[in-house]
Amino acid sequence: MTNLEAVYRDESRRVFATLVRLLGSFDLAEEALHDAFAAAAERWPREGVPANPVAWLVSAGRFRAIDHLRRQRRFMPLDDVAGHVENLADESQAEPVEELEDDRLRLIFTCCHPSLSEEARIALTLREVCGLTTEEVARACLLAASTLAQRIVRAKAKIRDARIPYQVPGMDELPARLPSVLRVIYLVFNEGYSASSGDAVLRADLSGEAIRLARLLQTLLPEPEVGGAACVNAIA
């Protein structure tokens, strides 16, 4: 496995989570992620892997997105994109490590917002946090890929239109929000431990992602309920 492949496997969703925060759009962040790795595939073999590949990819994706939005000015009313472009361009290039790490937790809570249905939360978490393909998520949810894709599109639109904040809720909101996140992680683990579709009885990729998410929550949000979920998932 090449260095770039290893970085993509281990860090791509971390990069994606930060790009969602910076760009304010799931779709724009996904496009920026692909652009960043395309740039890395071109430059890293020639220049070497940077000391901080995650920060390099975030910066590359962000600037590719800014260029894309600036090109859109030729085809869209200026007011639709100008303010967003300038806000992106004004942000600092440097992303502290703790900010990058917290972005994954923000993404989990965004995907598991209580205003979304449980089915939408599961689909969004598997697709956007775990990085599974639409086809893989559809199989896990026993749905046609086209149906699942529409569900994800509607959920993203609701997040956008309702201006659901991309953040970890405050302590006053946490009791109402945390159970939703933990339930989704538990259901993801169950699907991996006893797959509802496909030839394999076990889906190690799903159960492994659930354990990773539980441990991430435990590290970034040391609440008793999170610790219990991490222990249960790790032992099961």
Side-chain angles (χ1 to χ4, degrees):
M1 179 178 293
T2 67
N3 287 332
L4 183 58
E5 289 173 333
V7 171
Y8 186 86
R9 180 199 63 200
D10 297 334
E11 305 288 4
S12 62
R13 302 324 289 177
R14 182 183 177 193
V15 174
F16 174 74
T18 296
L19 288 171
V20 172
R21 172 172 61 82
L22 291 175
L23 303 176
S25 164
F26 282 92
D27 294 334
L28 193 57
E30 192 73 47
E31 188 174 332
L33 177 70
H34 293 312
D35 287 345
F37 273 94
E42 178 184 346
R43 294 178 55 181
W44 290 8
R46 185 173 65 247
E47 303 173 4
V49 178
N52 189 334
V54 170
W56 190 99
L57 289 162
V58 168
S59 180
R62 172 174 163 267
F63 282 112
R64 294 289 179 107
I66 290 172
D67 288 342
H68 174 73
L69 288 172
R70 282 174 172 159
R71 288 195 300 270
Q72 283 186 320
R73 287 178 170 179
R74 294 179 297 172
F75 309 106
M76 299 172 62
L78 184 62
D79 291 343
D80 289 348
V81 295
H84 190 46
V85 170
E86 296 312 316
N87 287 338
L88 293 178
D90 287 343
E91 292 194 22
S92 171
Q93 297 183 42
E95 290 293 333
V97 173
E98 60 270 18
E99 274 294 296
L100 291 173
E101 195 67 23
D102 285 349
D103 281 333
R104 293 192 289 176
L105 189 56
R106 293 186 184 97
L107 185 57
I108 294 170
F109 275 96
T110 300
C111 291
C112 294
H113 194 276
S115 67
L116 302 176
S117 69
E118 183 175 281
E119 293 80 6
R121 296 175 208 162
I122 294 171
L124 265 183
T125 301
L126 288 172
R127 179 67 186 88
E128 307 300 344
V129 179
C130 301
L132 300 184
T133 67
T134 300
E135 290 73 19
E136 288 172 327
V137 178
R139 286 197 296 269
C141 297
L142 297 178
L143 292 171
S146 58
T147 302
L148 191 283
Q150 292 173 358
R151 179 174 292 176
I152 290 176
V153 167
R154 287 195 297 269
K156 289 179 179 178
K158 186 165 188 176
I159 289 172
R160 181 192 66 237
D161 296 341
R163 299 184 181 276
I164 291 174
Y166 181 63
Q167 64 186 28
V168 177
M171 293 304 296
D172 56 331
E173 299 175 298
L174 196 57
R177 296 285 302 278
L178 186 57
S180 172
V181 175
L182 294 177
R183 176 156 177 76
V184 167
I185 292 175
Y186 176 75
L187 291 172
V188 171
F189 178 83
N190 275 357
E191 179 61 32
Y193 192 73
S194 180
S196 60
S197 63
D199 297 330
V201 176
L202 301 177
R203 287 286 306 274
D205 53 342
L206 294 185
S207 55
E209 282 296 328
I211 292 171
R212 184 185 70 80
L213 292 176
R215 288 174 175 168
L216 174 62
L217 278 172
Q218 185 181 28
T219 299
L220 300 179
L221 196 64
E223 296 291 320
E225 300 95 326
V226 178
C231 290
V232 168
N233 282 346
I235 293 172

